[in-house]
């Protein structure tokens, strides 16, 4: 196609439609390669991806599908959906612009009576196969609302924070883990809270959780929220929390009007009048999520430090930094972006504790 492209007399009428199927459909040589599945992005690129990537012509993957029964099908499914989304080398980072939705596709098939691939519908013709949808939902888009020129006419593109959950090695059998979002400096008005279950089938190594971001026109600082993993079965959670940053893309906050009084204000007390409150957000057999809110009822402060006396180890922390640890607990300080607390203002941070959390065992000193 690169050297001998098809040229029509009428522009914008040609789309190349490739069909791509896994090992269960046909045992291609690249599925037997010792480098499988790392070799798949290069194979996609060689066979049809370069047409899209080099801007030769539009590409539409007219068929791809699997029953997810062959152990080699899950790595293929993961690799091809990542490639279709624009991650051409499968390193977890998109290689296309933020407004580009990736390569168009159709999954084969919706109905369950395809003997080779089954369907998105289960054999009862009613139940959706959630294992398949876990791969497809992150790359779905709506022509009416997400595509410029669609029926909606707005061309608006919904923005997602995408968390990649990865096993240290491909699963031998089913690995199940629960997840939920947790507010940080970003609250419920900044993203769509979500919770659910990830199921890694044999051969799978990573899953993507997409969280919708709620756009606004407020000029504000960057904000963060987290995705927390709990209750794993078939594996041990190594890192329980991932943090997403919502970057401010609105106009800068205008500087305040200068004070007409040339007399300098007295320096505020270093600690203002701070009060710290702990909340046990949730807990499970081996750990818990804690949230600490620091409120300032006095003069503005430009930095804070807090002591947490408790018998629990902190496995992960966000929107704060650990200064030190001793037999009684931890000393925590502000992160780079949340040291300033205005009079009457507040900030919050969170952490994952190890063990069955009890709020009565946790004392705060500030």
């Amino acid at each position: 196609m690169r050297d001998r492209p098809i040229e029509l007399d009428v522009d914008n009428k040609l789309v190349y439609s490739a069909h791509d199927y896994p090992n269960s459909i046909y045992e291609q040589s690249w599925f037997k390669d010792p480098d499988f599945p790392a070799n798949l992005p290069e194979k996609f690129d060689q066979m049809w991806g370069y047409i899209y990537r080099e801007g030769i012509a539009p590409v539409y993957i007219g068929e791809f599908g699997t029953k997810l029964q062959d152990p080699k099908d899950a790595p293929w499914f993961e690799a091809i959906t990542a490639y279709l989304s624009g991650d051409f080398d499968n390193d977890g980072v998109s290689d296309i612009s933020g407004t580009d939705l990736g390569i168009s596709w159709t999954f084969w098939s919706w109905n369950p009576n395809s003997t080779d691939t089954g369907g998105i519908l289960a054999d009862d013709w009613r139940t959706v196969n959630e294992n398949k949808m876990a791969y497809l939902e992150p790359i779905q888009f709506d022509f009416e609302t997400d595509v410029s020129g669609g029926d909606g006419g707005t061309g608006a593109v919904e923005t997602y924070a995408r968390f990649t959950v990865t096993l240290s090695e491909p699963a031998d059998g089913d690995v199940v883990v629960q997840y939920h979002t947790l507010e940080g400096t970003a609250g419920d008005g900044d993203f769509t809270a979500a919770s659910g279950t990830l199921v890694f089938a044999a051969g799978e190594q990573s899953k993507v959780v997409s969280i919708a971001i709620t756009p606004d026109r407020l000029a504000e600082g960057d904000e963060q929220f987290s995705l927390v993993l709990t209750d794993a079965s078939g594996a041990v959670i190594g890192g329980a929390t991932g943090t997403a940053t919502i970057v401010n893309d609105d106009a800068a906050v205008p500087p305040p009007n200068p004070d007409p009084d040339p007399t300098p204000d007295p320096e505020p007390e270093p600690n203002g009048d701070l009060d710290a409150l702990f909340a046990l957000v949730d807990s499970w057999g081996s750990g818990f999520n804690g949230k600490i809110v620091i409120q300032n009822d006095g003069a503005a402060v430009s930095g804070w430090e807090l002591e947490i006396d408790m018998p629990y180890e902190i496995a992960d922390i966000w929107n704060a930094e650990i200064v030190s640890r001793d037999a009684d607990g931890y000393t925590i300080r502000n992160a780079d972006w949340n040291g300033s607390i205005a009079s009457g203002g507040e900030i919050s941070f969170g952490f994952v504790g190890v063990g069955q959390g009890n709020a009565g065992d946790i004392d705060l000193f500030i």
Side-chain angles (χ1 to χ4, degrees):
M1 302 301 179
R2 182 188 291 114
D3 299 327
R4 297 178 179 84
I6 297 173
E7 297 181 0
L8 302 179
D9 294 335
V10 181
D11 291 336
N12 301 321
K13 297 296 182 183
L14 178 65
V15 175
Y16 289 97
S17 180
H19 294 186
D20 201 303
Y21 281 105
N23 187 71
S24 62
I25 306 301
Y26 190 81
E27 295 181 357
Q28 301 280 8
S29 59
W30 48 86
F31 296 125
K32 304 173 184 177
D33 192 292
D35 200 27
F36 174 84
N39 62 336
L40 291 178
E42 182 179 357
K43 182 57 62 175
F44 299 147
D45 200 75
Q46 174 192 353
M47 303 300 286
W48 44 264
Y50 76 93
I51 304 172
Y52 172 88
R53 184 176 49 77
E54 297 178 12
I56 297 172
V59 173
Y60 167 64
I61 303 303
E63 291 184 19
F64 72 112
T66 171
K67 286 185 175 180
L68 284 177
Q69 294 177 352
D70 186 315
K72 292 187 175 182
D73 281 17
W76 164 86
F77 204 5
E78 182 177 334
I80 193 170
T81 50
Y83 193 99
L84 292 174
S85 74
D87 182 4
F88 299 136
D89 52 8
N90 280 200
D91 65 351
V93 179
S94 178
D95 300 306
I96 58 179
S97 69
T99 57
D100 193 337
L101 297 172
I103 299 172
S104 298
W105 53 270
T106 299
F107 184 83
W108 184 270
S109 62
W110 175 258
N111 293 343
N113 57 344
S114 170
T115 56
D116 290 332
T117 66
I120 291 178
L121 291 181
D123 290 341
D124 62 6
W125 289 76
R126 294 177 180 273
T127 307
V128 171
N129 186 317
E130 296 296 343
N131 286 336
K132 293 184 181 181
M133 291 305 298
Y135 293 91
L136 298 175
E137 284 180 341
I139 62 172
Q140 286 180 315
F141 55 86
D142 191 323
F143 281 107
E144 292 190 358
T145 59
D146 297 343
V147 179
S148 180
D151 293 343
T154 62
V157 177
E158 191 167 5
T159 302
Y160 290 88
R162 304 191 191 279
F163 296 86
T164 301
V165 181
T166 305
L167 301 177
S168 58
E169 59 186 32
D172 293 330
D174 284 354
V175 173
V176 181
V177 64
Q178 308 297 319
Y179 69 86
H180 66 270
T181 51
L182 187 66
E183 295 179 17
T185 52
D188 58 5
D190 298 305
F191 66 95
T192 301
S195 62
T197 304
L198 297 178
V199 179
F200 294 81
E204 293 182 306
Q205 193 168 3
S206 68
K207 296 281 188 181
V208 175
V209 179
S210 299
I211 306 299
I213 304 301
T214 305
D216 60 39
R217 297 186 179 276
L218 299 176
E220 54 192 351
D222 295 348
E223 299 173 306
Q224 295 183 319
F225 70 96
S226 303
L227 187 81
V228 181
L229 304 179
T230 64
D231 299 329
S233 172
V236 176
I237 297 175
T241 304
T243 301
T245 299
I246 303 174
V247 178
N248 176 56
D249 59 358
D250 298 296
V253 178
N257 292 327
D259 189 346
D261 185 357
T263 304
D265 294 328
E267 289 293 325
E269 296 179 8
N271 291 325
D273 186 5
L274 302 181
D275 189 24
L277 304 173
F278 172 80
L280 187 65
V281 178
D282 60 13
S283 64
W284 54 99
S286 59
F288 63 94
N289 288 327
K291 180 178 181 180
I292 294 178
V293 177
I294 300 177
Q295 300 171 333
N296 184 14
D297 295 325
V301 299
S302 58
W304 52 267
E305 194 168 278
L306 169 75
E307 292 184 6
I308 307 177
D309 284 0
M310 63 178 184
Y312 308 109
E313 178 185 353
I314 293 178
D316 199 3
I317 192 169
W318 52 95
N319 298 331
E321 298 176 359
I322 296 175
V323 177
S324 62
R325 182 187 182 186
D326 59 25
D328 294 324
Y330 290 84
T331 298
I332 307 295
R333 70 176 298 276
N334 57 273
D336 292 339
W337 58 86
N338 64 355
S340 298
I341 310 178
S343 177
E346 65 179 39
I347 63 92
S348 65
F349 69 92
F351 65 90
V352 176
V354 178
Q356 186 67 49
N358 182 348
D361 294 335
I362 299 175
D363 295 313
L364 307 178
F365 301 94
I366 191 168

